[in-house]
Amino acid sequence: MNLDNLRKLREHKNISCKSMAEKLDVSFQYYWMIENGKRGLSYEMAIRIAKILGTTPDKIFYPPI
C-alpha cells in the first residue's frame, strides 16, 4: 500500500489533515495514524477517503502496473 500517494493527493487538493479527519468523522490522531502507516486501513475507510478526494481507492493506495 502506498500511503505517500494519499498525502500528496490530499495536499494537492489543499485539504489539511484536520479537515480530512472532520470530513471522515474521525479524530485528527486517527486520520494521522492512517496516513502515516501507524493504523490499519479498512476498505470501507479507503472508499470514504477516495470519495472525498474524488478518485478510487486503487488509484490512491496501489501503484500502477
Side-chain angles (χ1 to χ4, degrees):
M1 188 178 322
N2 189 346
L3 296 173
D4 234 15
N5 287 341
L6 172 57
R7 181 187 53 78
K8 287 177 186 175
L9 184 57
R10 177 184 56 75
E11 289 174 349
H12 179 74
K13 300 272 186 175
N14 293 318
I15 300 173
S16 68
C17 277
K18 181 180 178 193
S19 178
M20 190 67 147
E22 289 170 356
K23 291 174 188 290
L24 293 167
D25 197 29
V26 298
S27 70
F28 168 82
Q29 292 83 2
Y30 185 95
Y31 179 76
W32 183 91
M33 290 190 320
I34 289 172
E35 194 169 289
N36 288 280
K38 307 286 185 198
R39 183 171 188 91
L41 176 66
S42 69
Y43 192 67
E44 178 185 312
M45 183 63 73
I47 291 170
R48 291 172 61 199
I49 290 169
K51 192 173 198 179
I52 291 167
L53 296 175
T55 190
T56 64
D58 289 350
K59 289 183 180 176
I60 298 172
F61 301 106
Y62 296 102
I65 296 175

